[in-house]
């Protein structure tokens, strides 16, 4: 077995927001062209296009995004496909792009995540999102995605005796860092009081604990060492590990609601592949679609004991200059969460950190991790990038 | 560059039909378990699951098929994702599974295609299928998929002076062979007179020239040489080439409506990778969603000059014991076309041929090709399998 090394050579992203003047395809093309330009390559170098997207069929009445985006990029002819894994679609697309390059079959691949959640022409967004859970056993009951996460939240508080004010702090953290991020959706701070007094969406989850609906696209260019040498590129970042794991699609089949076993499995494999431990990670982006998830991920990724993830937030350990700088982009809560794009945004942000050009730069960051979740943990994809010079 | 060899070790498929008693997941699991059993492996050997599917969101209100199918197979934990490329979703999923194994990152991967087109609970099938074309420039006009193919059909007849009775023969051919295929949807013959007098769907396309709506799933197990040796498997078939190409998503942007450039590109690459020429192919399955497409594919794959593909059919050259045995499964017209599953059915059928256990067996078949089309040629995936002992 001889896995080809895979390098990240360029990235791009649109601002996340309500883009009433931009369609699904224009968002994707904007991010993709920026990634190609950033990489110093030509569009004609791209051999395959991967599109991470969850709900274009339900929201825009549009499938076949591989051919569509290749067409609108002006490079029909390349290989292309859409990858779907609910809210982890973007990171799952990155994983496929990684495998495509690691195989040696493709030397230069473009991967982008895109989602347009405003201006939905077919379904409403809540109906589209719950398709991430089991249609026959869960969604049919009328459960919404925030409702399912409320069950996790309540269960966690009861099991570990944790107060909501300690969990809700994650939102305050995210908003603080989004201020400096030009592509973030909500560039303003919020206080804990404001979070806790915001409208109740699904008890106990408050509005300001929920990631927002938004439109956006992010893209990255991946390539082989051979391609880099041929093009004379000066590349600095490699993919040290790219792993994916599943869990039962519904909470009802889980033994423990307070842990995502898919995170634990994917992380274990990723750490082993990259030959690192959690303490080696300089910066990370985690999938905090709701505040409680941020807390749980810190534990499942190996940074805190179960029931104690919130302490890292409260004690300032996830700040920029602290133990494990986390969600310096603003996270899902404040950077935004255009679902199928989010996984690629996270990796793009880690890439920026390792290149030394992130809005909230961690000095000398060498190793970064992005964790992405589909559904209520039915899929988790973890990617670890490493600066190589 | 050192691309790992990829082998096919087992396959399974459900009968295609109107499965009112089977859901999307039960169809997938049925085919997958048969593939695992056929391969002589254990479910616990499977490291990743790829699900080819086009319209589960639109028809069943269900996304996140990777986690769903892993759950229902009883192996949550594995990596998994859904791959979508319109009607080529199954073959695109196979291509990703191929890359996953070729990379050496995964040693044993399950790929299945599934589509449930009857019992659609959200959209109607016609509305779902047209999402394979451009929603903003084509589908919004009210065009249906059969209507778009009717334009191709008419254009071809005019350009090359070919009569409909010669093109419609493809349907007669398909039905003849479906009789012997236990998983075919329509196991009966039709006469040319019957085809030409069947109701007009979109001028000039007659009902009996159209592939039907149906439910079904097919699955294959792919693995590395290392896995084969460790398990002591007696494997006979390798993937000699797996290629994909795109074209503009809509006909309006094409220079020539009578050729699928994506077929030409993917085939050229596949022949080069497998180090073969068209004449080396012993058996093939091509994507004749409408009779005219079967004729065009014979030309684009290099078996006839443009405008003369129909002659191969008329002169018996695509029969079982003739020059290029084609669609001995019954093809899309009579085996059936559950869209996201079809690409995997085709490869399964080629696999059966190379294993010497196909319903319409070609004596001593050693090399087989499967060609799969998404949209009106926006995506084409070609896979070539070879018997290695």
């Amino acid at each position: 077995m001889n896995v080809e090394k895979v390098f990240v050579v360029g990235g791009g992203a649109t601002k996340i927001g309500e883009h009433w003047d931009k369609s699904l395809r224009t968002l994707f093309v904007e991010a993709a062209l920026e990634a190609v330009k950033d990489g110093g390559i030509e569009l004609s170098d791209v051999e395959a296009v991967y599109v991470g997207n969850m709900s274009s069929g339900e929201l825009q009445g549009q499938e076949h995004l591989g051919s569509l985006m290749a067409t609108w990029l002006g490079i029909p002819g390349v290989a292309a496909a859409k990858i779907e894994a609910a809210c982890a679609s973007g990171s799952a697309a990155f994983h496929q792009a990684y495998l495509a390059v690691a195989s040696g079959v493709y030397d230069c691949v473009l991967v982008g995540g895109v989602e347009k959640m405003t201006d939905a022409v077919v379904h409403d967004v809540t109906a589209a999102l719950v398709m991430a859970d089991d249609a026959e056993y869960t969604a049919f009951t009328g459960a919404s995605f925030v409702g399912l996460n409320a069950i996790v939240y309540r269960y966690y508080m009861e099991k570990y005796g944790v107060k909501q004010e300690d969990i809700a702090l994650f939102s305050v953290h995210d908003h603080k860092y989004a201020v400096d991020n030009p592509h973030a959706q909500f560039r303003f701070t919020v206080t804990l009081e404001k979070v806790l007094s915001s409208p109740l969406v699904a008890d106990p989850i408050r509005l300001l604990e929920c990631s927002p609906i938004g439109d956006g696209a992010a893209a990255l260019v991946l390539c082989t060492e051979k391609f880099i040498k041929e093009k004379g590129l000066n590349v600095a970042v490699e993919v040290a590990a790219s792993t994916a794991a599943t869990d039962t699609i519904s909470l009802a089949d889980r033994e423990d609601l307070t842990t995502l076993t898919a995170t634990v499995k994917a992380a274990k494999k990723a750490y082993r592949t990259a030959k690192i431990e959690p303490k080696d990670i300089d910066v990370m982006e985690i999938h905090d679609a709701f505040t409680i998830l941020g807390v749980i991920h810190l534990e499942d990724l190996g940074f805190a004991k179960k029931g104690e993830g919130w302490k890292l937030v409260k004690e300032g350990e996830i700040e920029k200059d602290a133990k494990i700088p986390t969600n310096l982009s603003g996270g899902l809560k404040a950077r935004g969460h255009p679902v199928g794009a989010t996984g690629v945004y996270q990796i793009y942000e880690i890439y920026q950190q390792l290149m030394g050009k992130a809005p909230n730069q961690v000095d000398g960051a060498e190793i970064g991790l992005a964790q992405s979740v589909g559904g209520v943990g039915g899929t988790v994809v973890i990617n670890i990038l490493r600066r190589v010079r």
Side-chain angles (χ1 to χ4, degrees), chain A:
Chain A
M1 197 183 88
N2 184 16
V3 180
E4 189 96 17
K5 279 193 176 186
V6 178
F7 297 87
V8 183
V9 307
T14 72
K15 180 170 166 58
I16 299 174
E18 297 186 21
H19 290 294
W20 299 99
D21 57 338
K22 292 177 184 176
S23 66
L24 191 75
R25 69 190 72 186
T26 51
L27 288 165
F28 185 91
V29 167
E30 182 179 326
L33 292 183
E34 188 183 326
V36 165
K37 190 179 172 190
D38 181 53
I41 66 162
E42 305 292 326
L43 257 178
S44 56
D45 292 325
V46 174
E47 297 170 319
V49 175
Y50 286 88
V51 184
N53 171 270
M54 177 180 174
S55 300
S56 67
E58 297 87 349
L59 300 179
Q60 281 80 41
Q62 179 73 67
E63 293 289 356
H64 209 182
L65 297 191
S67 172
L68 180 79
M69 298 312 179
T71 301
W72 284 77
L73 280 169
I75 50 171
V78 300
K82 166 177 164 177
I83 313 293
E84 189 276 326
C87 326
S89 296
S91 55
F94 183 91
H95 184 57
Q96 296 315 313
Y98 164 79
L99 294 172
V101 176
S103 71
V105 172
Y106 296 103
D107 280 310
C108 179
V109 165
L110 175 75
V111 53
V114 63
E115 202 84 53
K116 184 159 179 65
M117 301 172 78
T118 61
D119 200 15
V121 298
V122 187
H123 277 70
D124 69 87
V125 171
T126 300
L129 288 180
V130 83
M131 293 188 191
D133 210 307
D134 192 318
E136 294 179 20
Y137 289 82
T138 303
F140 96 102
T141 65
S144 68
F145 230 73
V146 58
L148 295 168
N149 281 278
I151 295 170
V152 172
Y153 202 136
R154 177 66 72 195
Y155 196 89
Y156 183 94
M157 286 198 294
E158 291 293 328
K159 181 168 180 180
Y160 296 112
V162 181
K163 293 176 197 155
Q164 181 159 14
E165 62 198 58
D166 289 330
I167 294 165
L169 270 175
F170 221 105
S171 176
V172 178
H173 171 87
D174 276 7
H175 274 271
K176 174 181 164 186
Y177 285 100
V179 170
D180 299 312
N181 181 358
H183 65 257
Q185 184 165 6
F186 294 145
R187 299 181 67 183
F188 53 82
T189 58
V190 295
T191 61
L192 182 59
E193 294 65 37
K194 196 167 176 185
V195 175
L196 293 175
S197 62
S198 63
L200 200 55
V201 179
D203 190 9
I205 298 181
R206 298 275 169 176
L207 181 64
L208 288 183
E209 292 186 281
C210 305
S211 53
I213 283 171
D215 311 329
L220 293 160
V221 176
L222 302 183
C223 66
T224 55
E225 197 153 23
K226 172 171 162 260
F227 179 84
I228 290 170
K229 286 180 180 165
E230 280 174 11
K231 294 280 165 182
L233 300 175
N234 196 3
V235 171
V237 174
E238 73 168 352
V239 183
S242 180
T243 63
T246 49
D247 193 357
T248 59
I249 192 169
S250 293
L251 293 175
D253 298 316
R254 310 256 175 97
E255 282 194 24
D256 183 356
L257 300 187
T258 66
T259 187
L260 268 59
T261 62
T263 298
V264 176
K265 285 177 185 168
K268 193 174 163 187
K269 196 173 168 186
Y271 294 150
R272 193 174 61 226
T273 304
K275 298 188 179 69
I276 63 165
E277 293 176 45
K279 68 174 174 52
D280 299 320
I281 296 165
D282 299 313
V283 60
M284 69 179 184
E285 290 289 328
I286 63 177
H287 192 102
D288 61 330
F290 302 95
T291 50
I292 183 61
L293 289 182
V295 169
I296 288 175
H297 300 335
L298 288 173
E299 299 166 3
D300 290 340
L301 287 167
F303 295 96
K305 285 185 195 162
K306 288 311 296 178
E308 298 186 1
W310 58 276
K311 288 185 186 172
L312 289 175
V313 188
K314 194 166 189 176
E315 293 164 6
E317 297 287 20
I318 68 168
E319 302 290 339
K320 185 163 83 74
D321 301 311
K323 188 178 165 190
I324 177 64
T326 301
N327 287 9
L328 304 185
S329 67
L332 274 65
K333 174 64 196 81
R335 172 241 288 123
H337 182 31
V339 290
T342 297
V344 183
Y345 271 99
Q346 292 179 316
I347 304 167
Y348 167 71
E349 287 147 2
I350 293 299
Y351 174 65
Q352 283 196 307
Q353 285 284 351
L354 303 190
M355 295 294 284
K357 52 186 186 185
N360 293 299
Q361 182 64 42
V362 172
D363 286 346
E366 292 192 357
I367 296 176
L369 177 148
Q371 177 244 20
S372 167
V373 178
V376 284
T379 297
V380 172
V381 182
I382 290 180
N383 287 286
I384 298 176
L385 305 188
R386 186 184 345 234
R387 183 147 58 82
V388 288
R389 64 159 180 79

